[in-house]
Amino acid sequence: NAGVMQNPRHLVRRRGQEARLRCSPMKGHSHVYWYRQLPEEGLKFMVYLQKENIIDESGMPKERFSAEFPKEGPSILRIQQVVRGDSAAYFCASSTDRRGPNEKLFFGSGTQLSVL
Amino acid sequence: AQSVTQLDSHVSVSEGTPVLLRCNYSSSYSPSLFWYVQHPNKGLQLLLKYTSAATLVKGINGFEAEFKKSETSFHLTKPSAHMSDAAEYFCVVSGGGLTGGGNKLTFGTGTQLKVEL
């Protein structure tokens, strides 16, 4: 059973371009979470999605950032018109649809975004 | 509202000596607490979790952590460090947010553990 797969591992963009980060959850997982790790900081929650629904986007910047988790295919975190401050590691995590203290998140290896 | 503070950004120990990574938390809810480890160029791995059962939690690779409500602490320990333990460690609290709980995690800023010969 493959773990959470994120691609690309490294993404380089110039200012003003678009960045698309992909996350394939573990098999059988229908919940996806995106986190951002800025240099010298801990991970910060961005958005929580279930299939075709955004459940909690309280950590998403108001502009330029969007996320989706379609019925088929991976979850996509999209950053439009990137700026240097968007340079960070973006981690995806997935879990099953069970709720409660025994639910566990599995993390991907992250995508390192560098904006030139 | 919830937060977590990792008191040391860097810890250096000699191989074979004890490890102590300190974490204090703040939460409006009965928290779930976690320690994650991140090795260079790898994803996060769960070391252990506390979810209101036993206050002393045993994890993988010989790590354990003790939940102390009176001190709002959840320090990570290991009796004897190994070179392979060198990594970054994150203390994490779960709960809160629009979903009223669930898996919205709040991470500490991390502690870089260095293990020397």
Side-chain angles (χ1 to χ4, degrees):
Chain A
N1 187 11
V4 178
M5 303 300 292
Q6 289 187 248
N7 66 81
R9 287 297 309 276
H10 297 90
L11 181 62
V12 180
R13 285 287 177 267
R14 296 190 181 281
R15 281 180 295 170
Q17 291 184 319
E18 178 180 285
R20 293 171 70 89
L21 288 64
R22 286 178 289 278
C23 170
S24 296
M26 284 184 71
K27 187 177 180 180
H29 287 191
S30 58
H31 295 208
V32 165
Y33 306 77
W34 284 94
Y35 289 82
R36 176 167 63 174
Q37 183 180 23
L38 292 166
E40 306 300 323
E41 296 186 17
L43 276 76
K44 293 194 188 306
F45 169 80
M46 297 182 76
V47 62
Y48 163 35
L49 309 108
Q50 294 178 18
K51 287 281 187 181
E52 300 183 280
N53 284 305
I54 296 174
I55 306 303
D56 182 351
E57 57 181 347
S58 58
M60 287 279 271
K62 294 287 186 279
E63 297 176 347
R64 303 187 297 108
F65 283 72
S66 62
E68 63 177 11
F69 188 19
K71 189 176 180 181
E72 302 290 338
S75 175
I76 305 288
L77 179 68
R78 182 182 178 207
I79 311 172
Q80 295 178 290
Q81 300 174 335
V82 296
V83 300
R84 288 219 173 103
D86 297 332
S87 296
Y90 292 82
F91 287 90
C92 170
S94 72
S95 69
T96 66
D97 58 1
R98 291 191 297 271
R99 301 298 299 274
N102 293 318
E103 191 174 4
K104 180 176 163 180
L105 290 187
F106 293 82
F107 281 83
S109 298
T111 293
Q112 181 65 50
L113 173 65
S114 298
V115 179
L116 304 180
Chain B
Q2 58 191 27
S3 65
V4 63
T5 302
Q6 290 184 243
L7 299 162
D8 307 293
S9 58
H10 295 83
V11 170
S12 184
V13 301
S14 298
E15 191 175 32
T17 63
V19 176
L20 169 64
L21 305 183
R22 298 183 293 167
C23 173
N24 287 100
Y25 71 92
S26 171
S27 177
S28 303
Y29 302 83
S30 294
S32 294
L33 291 157
F34 310 77
W35 276 96
Y36 281 86
V37 61
Q38 184 180 19
H39 290 276
N41 300 314
K42 293 190 176 179
L44 290 160
Q45 181 183 23
L46 179 65
L47 277 180
L48 50 80
K49 69 187 290 188
Y50 163 79
T51 55
S52 74
T55 56
L56 182 62
V57 183
K58 293 189 183 299
I60 62 172
N61 301 336
F63 284 94
E64 61 183 38
E66 186 171 6
F67 174 72
K68 291 187 177 180
K69 188 174 181 179
S70 60
E71 300 176 9
T72 61
S73 69
F74 190 58
H75 300 333
L76 181 71
T77 60
K78 183 173 180 178
S80 176
H82 191 272
M83 294 296 289
S84 62
D85 294 328
E88 187 147 24
Y89 292 79
F90 292 94
C91 181
V92 182
V93 61
S94 171
L98 296 177
T99 57
N103 280 296
K104 182 176 180 179
L105 304 180
T106 301
F107 282 71
T109 52
T111 298
Q112 186 69 45
L113 176 64
K114 183 178 180 181
V115 181
E116 298 171 323
L117 287 171

